Amino acid sequence: MKDRTWPTATLAGMVGKAVRDLRRPSFPVDVTAPPSDTSTDQPARYPLDLRPMTAGSMLDHEHVVVTRAVTGSTYRNPVSVSLYALAQHTRALAAGRSPATSDERPPGIQALLTQAGWLRAAQDSNGGWRYPVPVPRYGVRPGWYSAMAQGLAVSVMLRAYATTGERSFLDASEGAVELMLRPLEAGGCSHYDQLGRPFPEECPSDPVSHILNGAVFALFGLCELSGHQGGTVHERVADRLRDSLPDFDLGYWTRYDLRHHAPASFAYHCLHTALLTAAGRVLADPRWLAVGTAWDRYTRSPTRRVRAAAGKGRFVLREHRAGS
């Protein structure tokens, strides 16, 4: 029989986390970033300013970002590596520091290239980066690919290509997109609807999870590769995600995914509004902006915020009991 006791320390920790979640995090949309411009002479700034999100990043002895697993060990997570690289690229350009020559590159550009170099070297023959950790919430074992990782890596390597002119970075980005758009049943990262439109899956679970933030990050990578190649590879993904947005709306808050009918944490809800605002700018589509504005209004209601925090707490409690 499962032990249904709930330690006081654990409950206190949950309450503390709920209180911390009420503080609004910072996910600034970079209004200075031009839409999907990755020309070789001037890499664009990423649609989101990721510097606040990556402020606590850990670097290993090779100056590559590492993530701590629940076991306490560290590993190189392609999402964390890419977020840090894009934040450092923004830092360099915000300071007015152009890439210049290899001997004159500012620290932010060098940090981008260090992360991009690892991504290029670690990319496997399928064009992706397998995760060495499980995801119990979705029943996923180690060895999975993430569309979020694929899309973010594309954004990093396109900027590395624009900075260095090394064709291998462009080749790597194209390989990453091919795997991202490959159907889940064929070992890829995308779930296709009856219209043949892909939903990039951050976590390839069965049944599908449809995690919103990971899908939009993947979309940005697709948009940037389309901008570089003059293609339209991103359009079907953008249409699928835009049409899915009402499914994430609880009427008072947003859902993190479509597998669990639970409100997202305050941090992820705020990230959703920022991502939709950025997507509206990148795609020049006011429909994304309208939804983002509506979702942002939810955060201005104390009643809705408390309701969302309570709902999230109940969901976490059920998860804990189910896993006990």
Side-chain angles (χ1 to χ4, degrees), residues 188-200:
C189 301
S190 287
H191 172 269
Y192 283 77
D193 65 9
Q194 294 179 341
L195 298 178
R197 301 179 302 177
F199 190 111

Side-chain angles (χ1 to χ4, degrees), residues 31-310:
V31 297
T32 66
S36 304
D37 176 13
T38 53
S39 59
T40 57
D41 59 343
Q42 182 57 55
R45 288 167 64 163
Y46 196 68
L48 282 186
D49 184 342
L50 300 170
R51 288 175 289 178
M53 187 189 300
T54 60
S57 298
M58 295 186 297
L59 304 180
D60 64 14
H61 65 287
E62 294 182 333
H63 303 288
V64 177
V65 171
V66 291
T67 300
R68 193 170 301 281
V70 294
T71 60
S73 61
T74 59
Y75 68 101
R76 291 174 173 178
N77 179 333
V79 164
S80 300
V81 167
S82 297
L83 291 171
Y84 177 78
L86 294 167
Q88 293 301 306
H89 182 263
T90 295
R91 184 183 304 279
L93 297 190
R97 303 289 300 276
S98 62
T101 66
S102 58
D103 294 333
E104 301 172 337
R105 286 174 184 146
I109 296 298
Q110 189 54 55
L112 166 84
L113 296 178
T114 297
Q115 312 311 306
W118 176 78
L119 288 168
R120 178 177 58 183
Q123 187 178 32
D124 65 22
S125 59
N126 288 322
W129 298 266
R130 290 191 183 274
Y131 271 80
V133 295
V135 188
R137 172 175 291 179
Y138 300 112
V140 175
R141 297 179 177 180
W144 49 282
Y145 293 118
S146 169
M148 181 178 179
Q150 301 297 121
L152 283 166
V154 168
S155 294
V156 172
M157 289 188 290
L158 284 176
R159 286 163 176 78
Y161 172 63
T163 301
T164 66
E166 295 178 22
R167 173 76 197 194
S168 57
F169 284 121
L170 182 58
D171 293 340
S173 68
E174 292 171 346
V177 164
E178 193 282 326
L179 177 62
M180 183 206 299
L181 295 179
R182 191 182 304 168
L184 289 172
E185 55 270 24
C189 301
S190 287
H191 172 269
Y192 283 77
D193 65 9
Q194 294 179 341
L195 298 178
R197 301 179 302 177
F199 190 111
E201 295 291 340
E202 178 180 338
C203 189
S205 62
D206 184 17
V208 290
S209 49
H210 290 343
I211 299 171
L212 180 57
N213 84 91
V216 180
F217 276 117
L219 173 62
F220 289 158
L222 290 172
C223 287
E224 292 184 342
L225 185 62
S226 289
H228 181 83
Q229 297 178 331
T232 59
V233 66
H234 67 286
E235 291 182 354
R236 288 184 303 154
V237 173
D239 287 346
R240 172 84 183 274
L241 295 185
R242 188 193 63 239
D243 289 350
S244 299
L245 293 179
D247 297 330
F248 289 92
D249 195 332
L250 293 171
Y252 66 96
W253 209 252
T254 57
R255 300 165 64 177
Y256 175 77
D257 60 31
L258 295 186
R259 181 166 172 176
H260 302 101
H261 197 80
S265 69
F266 187 50
Y268 273 109
H269 177 80
C270 291
L271 179 58
H272 290 163
T273 64
L275 286 169
L276 264 59
T277 301
R281 294 190 69 255
V282 168
L283 298 164
D285 187 340
R287 291 170 291 185
W288 289 79
L289 297 171
V291 177
T293 299
W295 288 359
D296 186 56
R297 291 195 191 102
Y298 293 161
T299 66
R300 305 182 191 282
S301 167
T303 301
R304 286 171 169 166
R305 290 172 61 175
V306 170
R307 180 182 177 185

